[in-house]
Amino acid sequence: MATRAVVSGVVAMAAVALVAQPQARAEQAAPLTVPSVKSWTPGGTGFTLGVHARVLYAGDGLRDAAVDLADGLRAVTGNDVVAQSGSSGGPGDVVLRNGPVVGAPNAPESYRIAVGDTLDLQGSDTAGTFYATRSALQMLRRNTTIPGGTVTDWPDYRERSLMLDVGREFMPVDMLRDQIRRMAQLKLNLLHLHFSDTFGFRLESVSHPEITAPEHYSKQDMHDLIEYAARYQVEIVPEVDFPGHMNGILAAHPELKLRSAAGVVSDSAIDISNPRSYDLMRDILEEFLPQFPGRYWHLGADEFLLQGTRVVSMDEYPQLGEYARATYGPQAQPVDAYLGLINWGAEIVRAHGKRPRIWNDGLHTGEGTITPDRDIVIDFWSRAGIPQLPLPFFGNARTASDLIATGHQVKNAAFTPTYYVTGRPATIGNIPAPLAYELWDPTLFVDGTRLAPDQNASNLGSGLHVWCDDPTAQTPARIAASITMPLRVMAQKTWGPAKPVTYLEFAALADAVAEPV
């Protein structure tokens, strides 16, 4: 407790020091934002927000961004700011437009802010222009005058995410909306919702109403949330976990639970040797895939045979080997039943115009005759896989480098430090935000290996993964408060540069500008 108090005091002093820095320093350095900007060229006339300023938008597609910026500027400055259609402003006005961003590496989501009599915000696409408004709001939040110059900015990684485990702990829609607005302020672009796990299936099902948990999201809830997220340039990635972590579904279908040769029944794993299991899984996919308009569907595929802390051998389930040989040929191994399921699900996802994703821990070196389809994105969190050793740092799961070499794109979802777990033993992996800031970046994977630059081109990015192993440990409000700094650190690490200032300076600046208004 004493250490936390000291750190808090130092952060507070750093905040005061940052706010009190002489104007001369601000004129020489890049404007301060979270995440920090890539390029700043000082020079020319500075900008002062008009007392009666306009936010002009060139095209209806930018109207929402202009309205949000005007609302934010009114809230943080007290100036009378309105949003209007138009492409030419006067002194003290802000102009939003889309167009090529000179100096950026032809990257989506890039933007330029030209600081002069007017503040000119131009994005390579609508997302880029929106992110320009977030940077402008952060700059003007601290001072309504910005020194003259040009910001050019773009992300290091395509995916900058937050995952919430709503399958174990239901999180109200209002909390999800709050996190979307927080993500937008930090230029995070993917909200991964883990809808199904130990304590419930959280989506309203028409085809199988018996699996819907008492606390769940209605069809209308999801429709509205998807639209809300899109306004803030956040894409929702849905996950319904197969063939493990299916407690919330299998409670209504005990006849489909996987049973060992010794008669031990799994509450979490579905029997993938039973054709009726595929009927149920297909029904779920076919019902919910059309509901989500984003690019991805996450099939889960993690910890299929995990019982407690023990990874059970497939040899305990002879029906899996029998099914694999009957379906894929006499040379098939028991694990091929699992690998074939992944490709089976991926084909359904693909038929709906989306790209499949899975977790990596079930893909083991040298096992199986079936190769997972190359277009499947692998969220890499663990090297586990050896029976009796479910630790994420060791094991025989294929490495990130190996998966990339065989054609997959990966996302760095390292157990440490990208996980925040609310309770139970896995909380040991909750690395303090200062350590993550100082010691980690998205090229460093959970087993200590680091991708080379050419390999990292296949690394989509990273983010914060919130797991509610014990749903009684923290309330949703407490979770939201606890992830404040980890989320900011992940935003900085995935947008880049990875560590522009000391952690104390970063934390103080983030406290001043990083929360939505």
Side-chain angles (χ1 to χ4, degrees), residues 361-438:
D361 57 278
L363 307 181
H364 300 166
T365 302
E367 294 187 4
T369 63
I370 292 176
T371 301
D373 296 337
R374 291 185 179 185
D375 69 326
I376 298 174
V377 175
I378 312 294
D379 289 358
F380 197 101
W381 75 277
S382 173
R383 281 296 306 278
I386 300 175
Q388 310 294 334
L389 188 61
L391 296 177
F393 313 105
F394 314 101
N396 63 347
R398 293 167 62 183
T399 66
S401 297
D402 174 42
L403 292 168
I404 289 169
T406 55
H408 291 282
Q409 289 184 313
V410 301
K411 175 188 172 188
N412 190 341
F415 172 80
T416 301
T418 80
Y419 275 24
Y420 177 82
V421 184
T422 62
R424 298 190 179 175
T427 57
I428 193 173
N430 293 349
I431 298 300
L435 288 181
Y437 183 84
E438 295 293 343

Side-chain angles (χ1 to χ4, degrees), residues 42 150 170 198 246 261 342 357 359 373 404 413 421 451 477:
T150 302
F170 182 78
T198 312
M246 291 186 66
I342 291 172
R357 305 179 76 112
W359 302 102
D373 296 337
I404 289 169
V421 184
L451 295 180

Side-chain angles (χ1 to χ4, degrees), residues 497-514:
K499 191 172 66 171
V501 293
T502 68
Y503 177 77
L504 291 179
E505 290 176 306
F506 174 80
L509 176 62
D511 284 342
V513 303

